[in-house]
Amino acid sequence: MAELTSAIQDPHALITLAVLILAVVLFISGALAPELTGLLSVGLLMASGVLNPQEALAGFGSPALITLLGLFPVSAALFKSGALDRLRALIASERIRTPRRLIALMAFVIAPVSGIVPNTPVVASLLPVVENWCHRRGLSPSRVLLPLSFSTVLGGTLTLLGSSVNLLVSDISEQLGYGSLELFSFTLISIPIWLAGALYLVLAPRVLLPDRGSNGDELTINPQTSSYCTEVTIPGDSELVGRSLHNSRLQRRFDVDVLELQRGGERLLPPLADRRLQAGDHLLLRVTRQDLLRLQQDHTIQLTTQGQNAGVNLDSSAGGQKTVEVLLPAGSTLAGASLRELRFRQRHNATVLALRRGQETVQERLGQVVLREGDVLLLQAPLDSIRGLQASNDLLVLDRLEEDLPTVRRKPLAVSIAVGMLLLPTLTPVPLVASVLLATVAVVASGCLRPGELQRAIRLDVILLLGSLTSFSVALKTTGLADGLAAGLSQGLDGWPTYGALMVIFIGTTLVTQVMSNAASVALLAPVAVQLAPGLDLPATALLITVLFGASQSFLTPVGYQTNLMVFGPGRYRFLDVTRYGSGLTLIMTVLVPALILWRYGPT
């Protein structure tokens, strides 16, 4: 600890430590969006003189970040051209009849796709297909959605392009003076990891995955039977006026649970069966999507959208309107505010009809519900507005818009460009960043992507976060904090075998990733880990890759990885469901990853 004590005597080191602690608190609490936390940290490090502008902002011009920037539109062109249609058709085919076959398809076929394109859009594209597959066979989606997420996570480390975290590690490696990573730098390690993980997903006991739709108490999660919460008003001309709930057709004909009755300033809770309804009563309902449509068409109730009475026509064919489900992904800036505060209808030209939140029952008026990451909203909006939502980073459209595939005829061209992007740096001296930029220009010039879509495809929040986080690594290195922290860790690991030390680094990174973003975990831990390399008789790259896999192989909590959160609500999972299913896989990774690192980089 003497090295750490000596390091923090430097005022710049103290400032860096204070900024670091502030950033960790903000990352964990979510008080600021992650990219804003990164920008705040960069600003503080520059304003305090710890880093000059060239050092602090170097990450924004790094080859890794430019590579990621170009990868977004190439991926968008692949999805828009229907490059995943074959996978969607394979899932829907009669050859995939059992959950185990579907999981095998995910683990061995879909996972490698995530080594080339980001796994978030892969899951978004396949999620409704998997839900419909479950619906047709009377199975609960909770039996297969977690394997879908875990498969794409496993595939995300097959190449450098599989995840933004991979590119961040490459950038940090270059900033610290160890050189950038190549396209297949860690593929020899990741292939056995992928295969071992795939076997676990296929062979894991069924009891580890919950059944959230096999009994009468819990509904299966498909677009027609998902349980939403919504608010309705009894209009003056409704036949429900004067009738009790027990004797009304509201509960005789429809699958509706009345959770609360609001009359003036009075809130009445169940049992409500004998209460006579009056004109103007507000009812908080739990209802399926299909019955919500039927109720509105039946003119017995009127939807109360976002706290304002408004008659909404749920006929999705009327006036170009469509009814779709959207998910609030991790990092959405809408989380933490109510629909009324957001002025959602005016902001997005879309009406929120209902809300679904995993297994929870929402007991608040729709306009007053504070949104959370993982919430699913049922929206009605014009087709153009829904296409605008598809380009938003705050909402993820779960329904497929068949009309929004104008470049299907260019699918072979889009796939050829992507394959060429991978082969060019592999077979020639052309750098990866140049290959990606050439592919970006090619998808636009060939018509696979329109110029306006190019700009919308780029995830500005990811670019800002990754560009700012590299400043942490530089500050930790230049102030001596990385050396001091590494000396303390090395002292704690004194006498440990190299394999055991790598296990500690891997599991430590994995646990840190459960409470803040994997990109932040890498930025904070990578500079410390590389300082351990000489004592472990390993190259610095070995420690960087250990941290990379620890941050990427996140299977313990729904918030540990974006795709885990995406399937959490539709699968009606509980928090510990993810932990129970992912613990075995995490244990396998903790044993296997260090062994493969030693095999690849250890002394011969």
Side-chain angles (χ1 to χ4, degrees):
M1 296 299 290
E3 291 87 348
L4 181 59
T5 304
S6 175
I8 61 176
Q9 291 177 358
D10 180 359
H12 283 175
L14 284 174
I15 293 171
T16 301
L17 192 59
V19 173
L20 177 63
I21 293 172
L22 173 64
V24 170
V25 170
L26 291 175
F27 278 128
I28 294 175
S29 67
L32 282 180
E35 65 272 18
L36 291 181
T37 299
L39 292 176
L40 174 64
S41 303
V42 172
L44 291 174
L45 290 172
M46 284 192 291
S48 60
V50 174
L51 297 177
N52 61 46
Q54 289 73 26
E55 292 172 326
L57 301 178
F60 288 101
S62 68
L65 196 70
I66 303 301
T67 300
L68 179 62
L69 187 145
L71 187 60
F72 282 131
V74 175
S75 300
L78 283 171
F79 282 98
K80 186 180 177 184
S81 68
L84 285 189
D85 285 354
R86 185 65 62 85
L87 281 179
R88 295 168 64 93
L90 185 57
I91 292 174
S93 72
E94 288 303 313
R95 287 181 289 177
I96 309 299
R97 299 178 181 177
T98 66
R100 198 171 295 278
R101 283 190 181 183
L102 180 57
I103 293 173
L105 174 67
M106 295 170 180
F108 290 105
V109 179
I110 294 174
V113 175
S114 297
I116 302 171
V117 295
N119 47 22
T120 300
V122 172
V123 173
S125 176
L126 299 181
L127 184 58
V129 183
V130 174
E131 287 185 302
N132 287 333
W133 182 91
C134 294
H135 176 51
R136 291 199 310 271
R137 288 161 176 78
L139 297 171
S140 170
S142 58
R143 290 291 194 186
V144 292
L145 286 185
L146 263 184
L148 171 62
S149 173
F150 286 7
S151 295
T152 60
V153 172
L154 287 167
T157 53
L158 285 171
T159 75
L160 186 65
L161 300 180
S163 167
S164 60
V165 174
N166 302 350
L167 291 164
L168 177 62
V169 170
S170 177
D171 193 16
I172 291 173
S173 178
E174 187 168 18
Q175 294 287 334
L176 297 179
Y178 303 109
S180 59
L181 301 179
E182 300 296 329
L183 180 60
F184 300 108
S185 288
F186 41 84
T187 302
L188 285 178
I189 297 172
S190 56
I191 287 178
I193 290 171
W194 159 51
L195 293 175
L199 287 173
Y200 172 86
L201 296 180
V202 173
L203 301 177
R206 286 172 53 89
V207 70
L208 294 179
L209 284 168
D211 187 343
R212 296 284 183 247
S214 61
N215 57 59
D217 296 328
E218 299 181 81
L219 298 170
T220 56
I221 305 302
N222 64 73
Q224 303 305 324
T225 62
S226 300
S227 183
Y228 285 93
C229 292
T230 190
E231 184 184 354
V232 301
T233 301
I234 307 298
D237 59 351
S238 172
E239 65 179 70
L240 298 177
V241 175
R243 294 180 178 270
S244 68
L245 281 171
H246 179 70
N247 293 321
S248 73
R249 63 204 303 253
L250 184 65
Q251 291 191 305
R252 291 202 313 267
R253 290 187 57 184
F254 303 102
D255 183 15
V256 170
D257 291 327
V258 180
L259 306 175
E260 186 179 286
L261 189 153
Q262 299 169 358
R263 180 174 295 163
E266 186 179 10
R267 300 180 63 184
L268 305 174
L269 300 176
L272 299 169
D274 296 327
R275 291 278 182 177
R276 292 193 177 273
L277 299 174
Q278 299 178 10
D281 282 351
H282 292 274
L283 302 179
L284 190 63
L285 304 182
R286 182 167 54 209
V287 59
T288 66
R289 177 174 173 172
Q290 187 65 29
D291 276 339
L292 184 60
L293 172 63
R294 293 171 57 209
L295 272 171
Q296 174 68 10
Q297 292 175 335
D298 205 47
H299 303 294
T300 56
I301 54 93
Q302 186 179 64
L303 286 176
T304 307
T305 58
Q306 296 154 218
Q308 301 175 1
N309 289 344
V312 178
N313 179 17
L314 286 183
D315 183 0
S316 62
S317 64
Q321 299 276 316
K322 285 188 69 72
T323 304
V324 296
E325 290 180 312
V326 298
L327 171 80
L328 262 73
S332 172
T333 60
L334 304 184
S338 68
L339 294 170
R340 180 175 296 167
E341 291 169 342
L342 293 168
R343 296 176 59 84
F344 191 94
R345 192 190 314 165
Q346 293 84 352
R347 181 177 177 179
H348 296 287
N349 192 27
T351 300
V352 179
L353 307 178
L355 178 145
R356 169 155 55 89
R357 178 173 290 165
Q359 295 233 37
E360 294 186 37
T361 298
V362 179
Q363 294 278 20
E364 300 172 80
R365 299 182 70 165
L366 193 59
Q368 300 170 350
V369 175
V370 176
L371 300 178
R372 301 180 190 170
E373 294 176 349
D375 283 351
V376 176
L377 303 177
L378 186 65
L379 301 184
Q380 185 184 57
L383 196 57
D384 287 343
S385 296
I386 295 172
R387 288 186 177 130
L389 292 176
Q390 288 179 313
S392 169
N393 297 326
D394 290 323
L395 292 168
L396 188 65
V397 179
L398 299 180
D399 293 85
R400 180 175 171 85
L401 301 180
E402 298 295 342
E403 302 91 337
D404 200 35
L405 294 173
T407 62
V408 170
R409 66 184 184 278
R410 294 189 173 92
K411 178 166 57 176
L413 184 58
V415 172
S416 299
I417 292 171
V419 171
M421 178 186 72
L422 296 175
L423 292 179
L424 189 61
T426 304
L427 303 177
T428 71
V430 174
L432 177 62
V433 62
S435 178
V436 172
L437 290 179
L438 290 173
T440 300
V441 175
V443 295
V444 177
S446 63
C448 297
L449 206 66
R450 290 189 287 266
E453 294 170 325
L454 168 70
Q455 299 174 27
R456 292 198 298 268
I458 296 172
R459 289 284 306 272
L460 185 60
D461 58 328
V462 176
I463 298 298
L464 292 176
L465 176 63
L466 299 188
S468 59
L469 283 179
T470 54
S471 64
F472 269 131
S473 303
V474 176
L476 288 170
K477 176 74 173 176
T478 57
T479 60
L481 276 175
D483 292 335
L485 291 169
L489 182 58
S490 180
Q491 185 177 352
L493 295 175
D494 187 37
W496 285 55
T498 303
Y499 178 72
L502 290 176
M503 287 182 67
V504 170
I505 295 168
F506 176 87
I507 196 63
T509 307
T510 298
L511 295 176
V512 170
T513 301
Q514 307 311 310
V515 294
M516 57 186 192
S517 75
N518 47 14
S521 302
V522 165
L524 299 179
L525 297 177
V528 177
V530 295
Q531 302 303 315
L532 300 175
L536 297 176
D537 196 22
L538 291 172
T541 303
L543 278 300
L544 284 170
I545 292 178
T546 304
V547 171
L548 182 155
F549 278 97
S552 299
Q553 308 295 322
S554 186
F555 308 110
L556 291 177
T557 68
V559 296
Y561 207 89
Q562 169 88 311
T563 56
N564 293 353
L565 185 62
M566 288 173 63
V567 303
F568 188 72
R572 292 175 67 89
Y573 293 111
R574 299 178 180 136
F575 191 92
L576 291 180
D577 291 338
V578 184
T579 307
R580 181 173 60 250
Y581 186 61
S583 294
L585 193 52
T586 301
L587 181 61
I588 292 172
M589 296 298 120
T590 304
V591 172
L592 184 59
V593 170
L596 290 170
I597 295 287
L598 282 178
W599 164 73
R600 179 72 173 84
Y601 293 103
T604 56

